[in-house]
Amino acid sequence: MSRPLIGVYPGTFDPVTNGHMDIIGRAARLCDRLIVAVATNVGKGPLFSAEERAAMVREEISTLPSGVGASIEVRAFDTLLMHFVREMKADIILRGLRAVSDFEYEFQMAAMNTRLDSTVETVFLMASEKQQFIASRFVKEIALLGGDVSSFVSKNVKARLESRIAGGRPIAG
Ligand code: ADP
């Protein structure tokens, strides 16, 4: 029997959206084991702490129907992605691509990661047409300005956004 294929899907997930979940569903059909890796060290001033972001991803994954494919786990990481990938003994990195906006950044990151470890491939997935355009950044902006984000995130994430915004901005880590 061949060795199980291990994939790492890294991101900020601030917060997890329907776009991320679409990619997770697709990635789960490709790998035997999928590790959703929540970046702790993010220079973007996240709205939610790494623990909160990981907890939200875990909650979303628990709502997926059984038999999606891979066994899925969520881990926070604060090291260089390629070091984390090696530590997990992963074979592939999964990333999502939205239209042309992500291309330049993803292209450079994949090329530099390949330079760091040429045995690990980056695989790009596209979300369904309906979820393609969703970005956490805009979801946060809409929520902060009192808009309705229910078609971009789950009920649970929406409630977490509302209570975070009502309670003021936290010190995120
Ligand atoms: P990053 O910190 O790299 O921006 P994100 O949490 O925003 O991480 O996203 C993680 C990955 O998921 C990235 O590869 C991003 O392009 C992808 N992604 C996020 N939203 C979508 C979406 N709506 N459709 C496809 N891919 C997406």
Side-chain angles (χ1 to χ4, degrees), residues 45-113:
L47 187 60
F48 295 98
S49 71
E51 292 73 31
E52 290 170 322
R53 286 181 273 130
M56 279 187 275
V57 179
R58 267 188 210 108
E59 283 160 11
E60 294 310 302
I61 287 170
S62 71
T63 67
L64 289 175
S66 59
V68 284
S71 67
I72 312 177
E73 64 199 83
V74 182
R75 288 179 181 240
F77 76 106
D78 62 0
T79 55
L80 187 66
L81 174 62
M82 289 316 262
H83 291 169
F84 178 76
V85 166
R86 221 172 279 160
E87 195 190 321
M88 295 295 112
K89 297 186 168 44
D91 307 283
I92 57 172
I93 296 170
L94 296 133
R95 295 286 289 175
L97 267 188
R98 282 164 292 205
V100 287
S101 57
D102 289 329
F103 183 78
E104 183 90 23
Y105 175 77
E106 295 288 341
F107 172 75
Q108 279 190 318
M109 192 169 79
M112 291 183 75
N113 281 335

Side-chain angles (χ1 to χ4, degrees), residues 9-13 17 19-20 23 44 95-98 102 105-106 125 127 131-134 136:
Y9 175 39
T12 309
F13 305 103
T17 68
H20 292 125
I23 298 294
K44 297 177 185 171
R95 295 286 289 175
L97 267 188
R98 282 164 292 205
D102 289 329
Y105 175 77
E106 295 288 341
L125 299 171
Q131 322 292 7
Q132 270 277 335
F133 60 90
I134 303 171
S136 297

Side-chain angles (χ1 to χ4, degrees), residues 129-173:
E129 212 183 337
K130 220 174 132 213
Q131 322 292 7
Q132 270 277 335
F133 60 90
I134 303 171
S136 297
R137 183 160 66 93
F138 295 124
V139 168
K140 283 183 283 188
E141 270 178 34
I142 294 168
L144 280 164
L145 296 170
D148 181 10
V149 293
S150 43
S151 69
F152 312 127
V153 296
S154 70
K155 275 199 180 120
N156 180 43
V157 171
K158 181 178 181 239
R160 295 255 207 158
L161 269 167
E162 285 167 356
S163 78
R164 173 52 40 91
I165 288 161
R169 227 179 138 88
I171 302 158

